[in-house]
Amino acid sequence: MMPSQTSDQLTQPQTDTLLQIENLQVHFPLMRGMLLQRRVGWIKAVDGLSFEIKRGETLALVGESGCGKSTTGRAILQLLRPTQGQVLFEQTELTNLTGESLRQMRRHMQMIFQDPYASLNPRMTIGDIVGEPLEIFDLATGAIKQAQVQQLLQTVGLSPEVVHRYPHEFSGGQRQRIVIARALAVRPDFIVCDEPIAALDVSVQAQVINLMQALQQQFGLTYLFIAHDLSVVRHISDRIAVMYLGKIVELGNRDALYNTPLHPYTQALLSAVPIPDPDLEATRQRIVLQGDLPSPTNPPQGCRFHTRCPVAIDRCRQEPEPLFKDAGGGHYVACHLVDDFR
Ligand code: SF4
């Protein structure tokens, strides 16, 4: 039997909110000089994020490469320590935790990385890879561990017979299943999925997404699903946060965001998503953004999207950054012109 999900879940009173992130910042020092290095600035990878993740939901975090979404995922799990801000997990502040208390809390939060080829030790057997977390956290040893490993492999659609084989004997999709089995071994509540299908063949992407959805149902998992475009997250997400240059610019329920995107950046990202209907696809108007993502060392003054925004006006350059506005129904957007878009 797969280990019971509920027996090891946290014992605090259960609320609707699993994670509360407040003003999260991750700034890296920018150093210069060959011998005597000195700090000449900051790379503002994550620059003040506030959002919550509800228990059992999938929140997608979407944006171009370099916008800070992977850094956000790592900072939530405390794999990178935030420069500022709060990360409350089941009402426990993670940024204050160290040592054994942080290690124990990490058991409840796992991460699945983009590249299943790089995230498995090529010298370990599949049985050792999936069983390692069970030993690290003293969850099972010996025959019980072996039985749990075999059960975990079956749960992700692999034969229990593969325990003696090595990662190089598997395809990309199978390796990602092994990575998922390893993450499930510690019976987590929350998983950060960092572009988990981006390195896979298109033919197996849907299989892995379907598996992740089935596991979410089966074990009551909560996902933060990171992706660089909106095409892959429609199927799996409940809500979507769109990130640009270290900030969330729009956040809303999936249908609201796809049907009535309010921020010009979201509109541009959506315009790149192919439409399955050939007639509609023929009429799709692509919004091509000019230029590259600006440097997070020195984000543009005013609205940080104004250098690429197709509808920017003087106000966007001159006034302080637009605040996050409630557009109703849990839909939030940071744009001076939001009323004009509705
Ligand atoms: Fe574009 Fe201005 Fe809105 Fe920023 S505030 S997204 S520049 S219209």
Side-chain angles (χ1 to χ4, degrees), residues 308-333:
R308 301 168 78 199
C309 180
V311 292
I313 56 174
D314 286 346
R315 184 181 169 199
C316 307
R317 291 174 272 275
Q318 292 159 358
E319 292 189 11
E321 208 151 15
L323 298 173
F324 228 38
K325 289 179 206 151
D326 184 352
H331 196 163
Y332 297 87
V333 63

Short mmCIF file of all heavy atoms in Angstrom, two decimals, residues 308-333:
data_model
loop_
_atom_site.label_atom_id
_atom_site.label_comp_id
_atom_site.label_asym_id
_atom_site.label_seq_id
_atom_site.Cartn_x
_atom_site.Cartn_y
_atom_site.Cartn_z
N ARG A 308 8.32 47.88 -23.15
CA ARG A 308 7.87 46.91 -24.17
C ARG A 308 6.35 46.93 -24.34
O ARG A 308 5.82 46.17 -25.16
CB ARG A 308 8.31 45.50 -23.77
CG ARG A 308 9.81 45.38 -23.63
CD ARG A 308 10.19 44.08 -22.96
NE ARG A 308 10.11 42.96 -23.88
CZ ARG A 308 10.03 41.69 -23.51
NH1 ARG A 308 9.98 41.39 -22.23
NH2 ARG A 308 9.98 40.74 -24.41
N CYS A 309 5.68 47.75 -23.58
CA CYS A 309 4.22 47.71 -23.60
C CYS A 309 3.68 48.38 -24.87
O CYS A 309 4.01 49.54 -25.15
CB CYS A 309 3.67 48.43 -22.37
SG CYS A 309 1.87 48.43 -22.32
N PRO A 310 2.84 47.69 -25.64
CA PRO A 310 2.33 48.27 -26.89
C PRO A 310 1.34 49.41 -26.67
O PRO A 310 1.03 50.13 -27.62
CB PRO A 310 1.66 47.08 -27.61
CG PRO A 310 1.50 46.01 -26.60
CD PRO A 310 2.40 46.29 -25.45
N VAL A 311 0.83 49.59 -25.46
CA VAL A 311 -0.17 50.63 -25.23
C VAL A 311 0.29 51.63 -24.16
O VAL A 311 -0.53 52.32 -23.56
CB VAL A 311 -1.54 50.03 -24.86
CG1 VAL A 311 -2.16 49.30 -26.03
CG2 VAL A 311 -1.44 49.09 -23.65
N ALA A 312 1.60 51.71 -23.92
CA ALA A 312 2.11 52.60 -22.87
C ALA A 312 1.82 54.06 -23.21
O ALA A 312 1.83 54.46 -24.38
CB ALA A 312 3.61 52.39 -22.70
N ILE A 313 1.56 54.84 -22.16
CA ILE A 313 1.36 56.28 -22.31
C ILE A 313 2.36 56.99 -21.39
O ILE A 313 3.06 56.34 -20.61
CB ILE A 313 -0.09 56.69 -21.97
CG1 ILE A 313 -0.44 56.22 -20.55
CG2 ILE A 313 -1.08 56.15 -22.99
CD1 ILE A 313 -1.80 56.69 -20.06
N ASP A 314 2.41 58.30 -21.46
CA ASP A 314 3.39 59.04 -20.66
C ASP A 314 3.29 58.70 -19.18
O ASP A 314 4.29 58.58 -18.49
CB ASP A 314 3.18 60.55 -20.84
CG ASP A 314 3.67 61.02 -22.20
OD1 ASP A 314 4.40 60.22 -22.86
OD2 ASP A 314 3.32 62.13 -22.62
N ARG A 315 2.06 58.57 -18.71
CA ARG A 315 1.83 58.29 -17.29
C ARG A 315 2.60 57.02 -16.83
O ARG A 315 3.07 56.95 -15.71
CB ARG A 315 0.32 58.08 -17.13
CG ARG A 315 -0.12 57.88 -15.74
CD ARG A 315 -1.63 57.66 -15.70
NE ARG A 315 -2.02 57.22 -14.39
CZ ARG A 315 -3.15 56.62 -14.11
NH1 ARG A 315 -4.03 56.40 -15.06
NH2 ARG A 315 -3.43 56.24 -12.88
N CYS A 316 2.71 56.06 -17.72
CA CYS A 316 3.36 54.79 -17.38
C CYS A 316 4.85 54.98 -17.09
O CYS A 316 5.44 54.22 -16.32
CB CYS A 316 3.20 53.78 -18.51
SG CYS A 316 1.50 53.57 -19.03
N ARG A 317 5.45 55.99 -17.73
CA ARG A 317 6.87 56.28 -17.53
C ARG A 317 7.08 57.22 -16.35
O ARG A 317 8.09 57.16 -15.67
CB ARG A 317 7.47 56.91 -18.79
CG ARG A 317 7.56 55.96 -19.95
CD ARG A 317 8.03 56.65 -21.22
NE ARG A 317 6.92 57.21 -21.98
CZ ARG A 317 6.19 56.52 -22.85
NH1 ARG A 317 6.47 55.26 -23.09
NH2 ARG A 317 5.19 57.09 -23.49
N GLN A 318 6.10 58.10 -16.13
CA GLN A 318 6.30 59.20 -15.18
C GLN A 318 5.83 58.87 -13.76
O GLN A 318 6.43 59.33 -12.80
CB GLN A 318 5.56 60.45 -15.68
CG GLN A 318 6.20 61.01 -16.94
CD GLN A 318 5.24 61.88 -17.74
OE1 GLN A 318 4.08 62.05 -17.35
NE2 GLN A 318 5.71 62.42 -18.84
N GLU A 319 4.77 58.12 -13.65
CA GLU A 319 4.22 57.86 -12.31
C GLU A 319 4.87 56.62 -11.70
O GLU A 319 5.43 55.79 -12.41
CB GLU A 319 2.70 57.64 -12.42
CG GLU A 319 1.97 58.91 -12.79
CD GLU A 319 0.46 58.76 -12.69
OE1 GLU A 319 -0.02 57.75 -12.14
OE2 GLU A 319 -0.23 59.67 -13.18
N PRO A 320 4.78 56.49 -10.37
CA PRO A 320 5.31 55.27 -9.73
C PRO A 320 4.64 54.02 -10.28
O PRO A 320 3.57 54.09 -10.90
CB PRO A 320 4.99 55.47 -8.25
CG PRO A 320 4.71 56.92 -8.09
CD PRO A 320 4.21 57.42 -9.40
N GLU A 321 5.25 52.91 -9.99
CA GLU A 321 4.74 51.63 -10.47
C GLU A 321 3.26 51.44 -10.13
O GLU A 321 2.84 51.75 -9.01
CB GLU A 321 5.54 50.53 -9.76
CG GLU A 321 5.64 49.28 -10.56
CD GLU A 321 6.92 48.52 -10.23
OE1 GLU A 321 7.58 48.80 -9.22
OE2 GLU A 321 7.22 47.63 -10.99
N PRO A 322 2.44 50.96 -11.07
CA PRO A 322 1.02 50.78 -10.75
C PRO A 322 0.82 49.75 -9.64
O PRO A 322 1.51 48.74 -9.59
CB PRO A 322 0.40 50.30 -12.07
CG PRO A 322 1.54 49.81 -12.89
CD PRO A 322 2.75 50.54 -12.45
N LEU A 323 -0.15 50.04 -8.77
CA LEU A 323 -0.45 49.11 -7.68
C LEU A 323 -1.33 47.98 -8.20
O LEU A 323 -1.99 48.11 -9.23
CB LEU A 323 -1.18 49.85 -6.55
CG LEU A 323 -0.38 50.98 -5.89
CD1 LEU A 323 -1.28 51.74 -4.93
CD2 LEU A 323 0.84 50.42 -5.18
N PHE A 324 -1.33 46.89 -7.45
CA PHE A 324 -2.20 45.76 -7.77
C PHE A 324 -3.65 46.16 -7.48
O PHE A 324 -3.96 46.52 -6.34
CB PHE A 324 -1.78 44.61 -6.86
CG PHE A 324 -1.60 43.31 -7.57
CD1 PHE A 324 -1.05 43.25 -8.83
CD2 PHE A 324 -1.98 42.13 -6.95
CE1 PHE A 324 -0.88 42.04 -9.48
CE2 PHE A 324 -1.82 40.92 -7.59
CZ PHE A 324 -1.26 40.89 -8.85
N LYS A 325 -4.52 46.09 -8.48
CA LYS A 325 -5.92 46.48 -8.26
C LYS A 325 -6.82 45.25 -8.32
O LYS A 325 -6.58 44.34 -9.12
CB LYS A 325 -6.37 47.43 -9.37
CG LYS A 325 -5.76 48.80 -9.29
CD LYS A 325 -6.26 49.64 -10.45
CE LYS A 325 -5.22 50.71 -10.77
NZ LYS A 325 -5.20 51.13 -12.13
N ASP A 326 -7.85 45.30 -7.50
CA ASP A 326 -8.83 44.22 -7.50
C ASP A 326 -9.84 44.48 -8.61
O ASP A 326 -10.60 45.45 -8.55
CB ASP A 326 -9.51 44.19 -6.12
CG ASP A 326 -10.48 43.03 -5.99
OD1 ASP A 326 -10.73 42.36 -7.00
OD2 ASP A 326 -10.97 42.81 -4.87
N ALA A 327 -9.82 43.63 -9.61
CA ALA A 327 -10.75 43.80 -10.72
C ALA A 327 -12.04 43.00 -10.50
O ALA A 327 -12.87 42.90 -11.41
CB ALA A 327 -10.07 43.37 -12.02
N GLY A 328 -12.17 42.40 -9.32
CA GLY A 328 -13.39 41.64 -9.00
C GLY A 328 -13.21 40.16 -9.22
O GLY A 328 -12.46 39.73 -10.10
N GLY A 329 -13.89 39.38 -8.38
CA GLY A 329 -13.88 37.92 -8.56
C GLY A 329 -12.51 37.29 -8.37
O GLY A 329 -12.21 36.29 -9.02
N GLY A 330 -11.69 37.89 -7.53
CA GLY A 330 -10.36 37.31 -7.29
C GLY A 330 -9.39 37.57 -8.43
O GLY A 330 -8.37 36.89 -8.54
N HIS A 331 -9.70 38.54 -9.28
CA HIS A 331 -8.84 38.88 -10.43
C HIS A 331 -8.12 40.18 -10.10
O HIS A 331 -8.75 41.20 -9.85
CB HIS A 331 -9.73 39.02 -11.67
CG HIS A 331 -8.98 39.00 -12.96
ND1 HIS A 331 -9.62 38.77 -14.16
CD2 HIS A 331 -7.68 39.15 -13.26
CE1 HIS A 331 -8.73 38.79 -15.13
NE2 HIS A 331 -7.54 39.03 -14.60
N TYR A 332 -6.78 40.15 -10.11
CA TYR A 332 -5.98 41.31 -9.73
C TYR A 332 -5.05 41.67 -10.88
O TYR A 332 -4.54 40.78 -11.58
CB TYR A 332 -5.14 41.02 -8.48
CG TYR A 332 -5.98 40.73 -7.26
CD1 TYR A 332 -6.42 39.44 -7.00
CD2 TYR A 332 -6.34 41.75 -6.39
CE1 TYR A 332 -7.21 39.18 -5.89
CE2 TYR A 332 -7.13 41.49 -5.27
CZ TYR A 332 -7.56 40.20 -5.03
OH TYR A 332 -8.35 39.94 -3.94
N VAL A 333 -4.80 42.97 -11.03
CA VAL A 333 -3.92 43.41 -12.12
C VAL A 333 -3.21 44.69 -11.72
O VAL A 333 -3.75 45.50 -10.96
CB VAL A 333 -4.74 43.60 -13.43
CG1 VAL A 333 -5.78 44.70 -13.28
CG2 VAL A 333 -3.83 43.87 -14.61
#
